[in-house]
Amino acid sequence: MKRVHTLLLTVVIVLIGFPAAGALDNLSARTAMSWPPQQKIDVPYEPTSEKVVVRMLDIATVGPRDLVYDLGCGDGRIVIEAVRRKGARGVGIDIDPKRIQESNENARKAGVTDRVVFIQQDLFDSDIGKATVVMLYLLPSVNLKLRPKLFRELDPGTRVVSHSHDMGDWKADRREKVKGHDIYFWVIPANVAGTWAWAVPDGQGNKQYNLKIGQRFQEVIGTFFFGNTEAPVRDIRLTGRRLSFMVDRMMDGKKTSFRYEGEVNGNTIEGTAKPEHGSSAGTEAWKAKRNPNAATAVETRD
Ligand SMILES: C[S@@+](CC[C@H](N)C(=O)[O-])C[C@H]1O[C@@H](n2cnc3c(N)ncnc32)[C@H](O)[C@@H]1O
């Protein structure tokens, strides 16, 4: 009878699956990793095809000096290809531990573990400030929710590529279709809105110049003032930190077109103003300053 009881107990334990110590460890590890993040997945997993991955890397002109982030990295394919094909380094962030496990496994198989890091994290909590390129394959609503973070944390000049989805009223700098899939490309613009001032010595003291810029993302308009005289600004462009525009000014008593080009760093723009007559004679150094209190954020929606 005692033997029958022992046998029965063994059968019951096997049937209800009494876990061994190791199995318990695995169970608690799995539980700790998958809950609660699994409940917060904003976008279901769907991998980007190889053709689209390659084009995304090309459009962003990814190279060996880049640090490529994929926010919602899935099985890690975009950052792994950024290393394999372009010699870049990569960071993949995904909320789903299964995806991070796959990414690490794929990085190991591709022999790139020394140049990639995969982090299990909510992309909205991730620290993305070091990225030079950000890759996305999310959803339109998630892109819009992410947009203020991109403007807050990324340096001007950082490239952003999105598979399938746009960024609402932040127009893409470039858009392409590959095998029926849209690819959008943006460069994070510097913040240039406000009034910039500088002075140029002209023999009888300094000439005062001002440039007033209105900005909506990378789209800018400008008005130029020398003293109290206003002049229209033509062909004004902002790409990352690079600002350029044309303006007609007097030089040696003659109306002359000048091309201004400069690099924006916070509240300073430094560059040159060149008369458009072919030679470099008359080229001036250009250093403009903005009152820091007058600057407003490029993206204020949060
Ligand atoms: C459409 S897949 C894209 C995968 C990969 N980027 C690619 O293009 O092949 C979206 C990925 O985002 C991840 N994801 C969804 N919500 C997330 C969140 N809040 N934080 C981080 N990752 C998230 C999903 O787990 C999924 O792997």
Side-chain angles (χ1 to χ4, degrees):
M1 192 61 184
K2 200 173 168 200
R3 274 189 58 216
V4 172
H5 269 144
T6 312
L7 193 66
L8 265 177
L9 189 64
T10 311
V11 169
V12 168
I13 285 172
V14 167
L15 281 179
I16 64 170
F18 192 83
L24 255 187
D25 286 347
N26 285 343
L27 183 68
S28 58
R30 214 169 50 230
T31 309
M33 283 174 80
S34 61
W35 186 92
Q38 285 281 10
Q39 298 182 326
K40 289 180 62 196
I41 285 182
D42 291 300
V43 188
Y45 177 54
E46 189 182 312
T48 296
S49 73
E50 190 184 346
K51 278 221 158 57
V52 175
V53 170
V54 170
R55 200 60 206 131
M56 288 170 84
L57 295 171
D58 284 346
I59 287 174
T61 59
V62 172
R65 293 156 62 107
D66 280 314
L67 180 58
V68 179
Y69 274 58
D70 184 3
L71 304 182
C73 65
D75 67 359
R77 59 184 61 203
I78 294 181
V79 291
I80 290 171
E81 288 308 308
V83 179
R84 279 177 14 123
R85 291 172 186 264
K86 308 288 185 185
R89 288 175 305 127
V91 178
I93 290 166
D94 206 291
I95 203 162
D96 187 338
K98 186 157 173 273
R99 300 277 98 85
I100 294 298
Q101 216 170 44
E102 286 167 6
S103 294
N104 281 323
E105 181 63 13
N106 290 338
R108 198 187 52 74
K109 282 190 200 145
V112 299
T113 49
D114 56 332
R115 294 188 71 78
V116 293
V117 178
F118 293 103
I119 305 167
Q120 190 214 322
Q121 196 178 30
D122 187 327
L123 63 93
F124 288 101
D125 298 333
S126 61
D127 179 357
I128 58 170
K130 291 200 170 67
T132 59
V133 176
V134 172
M135 299 293 194
L136 308 168
Y137 182 20
L138 300 168
L139 285 172
S141 59
V142 181
N143 274 7
L144 276 190
K145 191 173 160 204
L146 182 65
R147 206 172 76 176
K149 180 177 169 75
L150 301 180
F151 278 94
R152 243 187 351 257
E153 295 184 26
L154 298 175
D155 274 343
T158 305
R159 290 96 82 201
V160 178
V161 181
S162 171
H163 175 184
S164 274
H165 309 300
D166 67 12
M167 289 273 180
D169 58 348
W170 180 21
K171 285 194 207 127
D173 294 306
R174 189 166 165 185
R175 178 182 175 175
E176 255 187 44
K177 243 193 195 348
V178 174
K179 297 253 154 202
H181 292 246
D182 283 310
I183 302 176
Y184 297 87
F185 172 78
W186 299 262
V187 178
I188 296 284
N191 177 336
V192 291
T195 300
W196 298 82
W198 66 101
V200 178
D202 74 340
Q204 302 134 33
N206 279 337
K207 270 203 179 114
Q208 294 297 324
Y209 293 99
N210 285 293
L211 174 67
K212 267 193 186 169
I213 303 182
Q215 176 173 19
R216 183 76 185 134
F217 303 110
Q218 71 275 47
E219 292 176 335
V220 282
I221 49 167
T223 318
F224 190 91
F225 297 88
F226 32 102
N228 291 325
T229 314
E230 186 179 322
V233 165
R234 301 192 308 276
D235 196 20
I236 184 164
R237 279 185 214 166
L238 177 67
T239 307
R241 294 185 186 279
R242 303 294 309 169
L243 179 74
S244 67
F245 61 90
M246 301 275 296
V247 75
D248 292 339
R249 263 178 44 194
M250 296 307 281
M251 189 173 79
D252 303 332
K254 274 200 313 211
K255 192 170 160 188
T256 309
S257 283
F258 276 78
R259 169 159 296 279
Y260 281 77
E261 284 179 340
E263 184 170 304
V264 184
N265 261 304
N267 293 299
T268 306
I269 305 176
E270 257 186 291
T272 54
K274 277 190 195 150
E276 286 276 289
H277 50 44
S279 91
S280 61
T283 298
E284 301 164 359
W286 174 43
K287 184 168 180 176
K289 291 264 182 201
R290 174 178 59 180
N291 176 353
N293 300 327
T296 52
V298 176
E299 163 68 281
T300 45
R301 192 162 5 145
D302 213 332

